[in-house]
Amino acid sequence: MQDLYNPYDNVLKVVDNAASILGYEENDYATLRYPERELKVSMPVVMDDGSLKVFEGFRVQHSTVRGPAKGGVRFHPAVNHDEVKALAAWMTFKCAVVNIPYGGGKGGVICNPGELSEREKHSLTAKYTAQIAPLIGPEQDVPAPDVGTNARVMAWMMDQYSMLKGHSVLSCVTGKPIGLGGILGRSEATGRGVMFTVKNLLSKQGRKASESTVAVQGMGNVGSVTAKLLHKEGFKVAAVSDVSGGIYREDGIDVAAVLAYLNENPKNLLADYHEDGVSHISNSELLELDVDVLVPAALENQINASNADRIRARYVVEAANGPTTLEADEILQKRGIMLVPDILANAGGVVVSYFEWVQNIQELCWSEDRVNEELKTIMDTAFEAVWSIAHEKDVTLRTGAYLIAVQRVVEAQKGRGIF
Ligand code: NAD
């Protein structure tokens, strides 16, 4: 059953629902069903053992109606065309809901980055960049990190793109290292945005951080920062997990110790982590814990028709892209579990990417305090707008977010006209 799950169909159904509430005719939003451009590429890499391996990848631009396409590059064995299309579309609506002047794009390479040496990964990244170079650029499409990629990969992408152009083009990708045109605060931006979202949600519910427990699935860039910042804000982080499984302690785990362990060696996994009073649980058990806030921060399709009935959290805040299927969404709603959608909750990364791009183009540099303050303003404003429209129209926060986003994209398209 789950094998048939197609995240792009999921996106289209949510968009249809929002368009119908907005009173749009099919023709008003038909363009949103079709990505503007899709490119499939292959990259031959000479591996360290001398063998040749050909990797495949994609770059999809879902929309450039409101500005250049914007979206990350994923290195993961399960990357596929429909997933990249869905991720690109989510970027269109994410940029629209926080009102930054971008469309949506996404890239992916089918590979297991954990099994590649640095040299192999560099070679793959440089070739992938060269293959998608005709589509990308500061005014066309600006990649960034996603699952399996990081600032180092972005530096390699910027280097390759710059070599093709004959001069340094810092603004061609975001999420770069600080010394190469990166922005202070970018590596923490998505998790910081998730933290602002959790706080905004709980303050609407009149709940205090100190009385609230949290479980975070995924301890990568997004999950680890989310856990760290929520802990700092006084939440009790009862459980966290990675691909190897999770750890749990009812009174709260020592987040700093867990992060220190994970940072010690990139190959460290939670399955081998030991701390007094901490028990090991599976990822499915983590999702079903009796906590106040569940933060899925790993991959798509984690909360689905097979487990939505067993979710016991009061609130779900989607730090990952697409962690909840449409069927699960309906089940959670019926069960009174409030969910803040990905396009709002995890928008912090693209917001600070936008600041980085602006900085690169203007050749200036903001302080980290300024970055974090401007991020907070945008996240708070977007949360308030989504909360208000959802209550006004008596719809879920996901539908509320899409009402705002779809309207912004459709009105921009109408303004430009179709000839
Ligand atoms: P990452 O590669 O840094 O980390 C992914 C984490 O998920 C790792 O801890 C990994 O062990 C874990 N994981 C992988 N497979 C899993 C599984 N089957 N079950 C449980 N855990 C699993 O990735 P990231 O950048 O933190 O991205 C996580 C999610 O957040 C993705 O959905 C991504 O698209 C989304 N996102 C990322 C950013 C960003 O700025 N990096 C921005 C917005 C949204």
Side-chain angles (χ1 to χ4, degrees):
M1 180 73 183
Q2 292 308 322
D3 289 348
L4 299 176
Y5 169 71
N6 180 332
Y8 195 66
D9 289 345
N10 204 341
V11 180
L12 294 184
K13 284 183 190 148
V14 177
V15 170
D16 280 343
N17 179 41
S20 129
I21 297 173
L22 288 162
Y24 286 138
E25 302 289 333
E26 173 73 22
N27 280 354
D28 292 327
Y29 74 101
T31 53
L32 293 182
R33 304 187 148 273
Y34 302 91
E36 285 177 18
R37 287 194 191 89
E38 298 172 67
L39 182 65
K40 183 171 181 205
V41 293
S42 66
M43 287 75 60
V45 173
V46 178
M47 307 299 280
D48 289 349
D49 65 5
S51 66
L52 182 87
K53 191 162 173 186
V54 182
F55 293 87
E56 289 186 302
F58 309 88
R59 185 75 196 172
V60 173
Q61 294 175 350
H62 174 259
S63 171
T64 58
V65 169
R66 300 182 71 252
K70 186 84 189 81
V73 175
R74 180 171 291 195
F75 282 6
H76 193 276
V79 160
N80 63 69
H81 185 199
D82 281 324
E83 180 189 58
V84 179
K85 274 167 68 179
L87 288 161
W90 282 321
M91 289 307 297
T92 300
F93 301 115
K94 191 181 301 183
C95 293
V97 83
V98 291
N99 213 6
I100 55 176
Y102 284 138
K106 203 81 179 192
V109 175
I110 307 167
C111 68
N112 186 342
E115 288 176 0
L116 299 174
S117 69
E118 282 296 279
R119 191 204 62 77
E120 290 166 342
K121 214 191 298 182
H122 186 176
S123 171
L124 176 59
T125 303
K127 292 217 170 102
Y128 172 69
T129 308
Q131 292 292 55
I132 65 167
L135 289 196
I136 62 171
E139 290 167 341
Q140 292 128 279
D141 181 352
V142 188
D146 189 69
V147 174
T149 58
N150 54 20
R152 181 125 185 76
V153 173
M154 293 306 112
W156 291 331
M157 287 192 79
M158 190 271 284
D159 177 67
Q160 180 65 23
Y161 185 83
S162 298
M163 284 174 73
L164 293 170
K165 292 290 164 189
H167 58 96
S168 287
V169 188
L170 297 184
S171 50
C172 71
V173 293
T174 58
K176 301 178 296 290
I178 302 300
L180 283 173
I183 187 167
L184 295 165
R186 172 61 183 88
S187 61
E188 296 211 331
T190 308
R192 186 173 295 279
V194 175
M195 179 270 283
F196 291 143
T197 304
V198 171
K199 286 188 71 178
N200 282 332
L201 174 68
L202 291 198
S203 101
K204 290 283 183 198
Q205 303 293 303
R207 292 189 68 106
K208 288 192 185 130
S210 58
E211 293 161 2
S212 307
T213 50
V214 183
V216 181
Q217 184 200 36
M219 278 299 267
N221 174 290
V222 179
S224 63
V225 175
T226 301
K228 181 178 91 174
L229 296 182
L230 286 177
H231 177 71
K232 204 168 155 195
E233 292 293 319
F235 290 83
K236 198 188 290 174
V237 180
V240 297
S241 71
D242 63 16
V243 68
S244 71
I247 54 171
Y248 170 71
R249 180 158 66 192
E250 195 179 352
D251 293 339
I253 54 173
D254 183 345
V255 178
V258 173
L259 293 180
Y261 164 79
L262 292 175
N263 290 336
E264 232 167 57
N265 181 341
K267 293 202 188 307
N268 279 357
L269 288 172
L270 290 171
D272 301 319
Y273 178 81
H274 298 289
E275 185 190 315
D276 282 348
V278 158
S279 52
H280 285 262
I281 55 174
S282 67
N283 263 296
S284 345
E285 286 171 321
L286 178 136
L287 294 174
E288 296 168 19
L289 284 175
D290 184 7
V291 287
D292 294 300
V293 188
L294 172 62
V295 182
L299 296 170
E300 297 93 73
N301 193 18
Q302 298 300 300
I303 306 174
N304 50 53
S306 73
N307 64 0
D309 269 332
R310 296 194 300 275
I311 302 297
R312 284 185 290 166
R314 260 63 73 198
Y315 309 99
V316 175
V317 175
E318 294 187 325
N321 286 308
T324 316
T325 65
L326 216 57
E327 295 82 0
D329 224 12
E330 283 165 15
I331 297 170
L332 296 185
Q333 191 193 349
K334 281 192 191 126
R335 295 185 53 225
I337 297 172
M338 194 178 279
L339 179 148
V340 185
D342 45 10
I343 62 166
L344 172 63
N346 73 28
V350 75
V351 168
V352 175
S353 271
Y354 164 58
F355 298 159
E356 179 176 333
W357 177 76
V358 169
Q359 268 195 195
N360 293 155
I361 290 169
Q362 299 187 344
E363 295 176 1
L364 47 77
C365 188
W366 293 3
S367 72
E368 190 163 357
D369 283 348
R370 176 164 177 202
V371 171
N372 292 343
E373 272 165 34
E374 303 260 358
L375 170 63
K376 184 171 183 328
T377 303
I378 290 184
M379 294 302 294
D380 290 353
T381 306
F383 185 91
E384 205 49 53
V386 170
W387 184 267
S388 301
I389 198 163
H391 283 78
E392 184 193 316
K393 305 271 184 196
D394 195 20
V395 294
T396 62
L397 294 174
R398 188 185 310 282
T399 302
Y402 275 86
L403 289 177
I404 292 172
V406 168
Q407 185 170 35
R408 282 188 178 144
V409 182
V410 168
E411 294 309 316
Q413 178 72 75
K414 281 187 182 170
R416 292 174 67 141
I418 295 177
F419 53 87

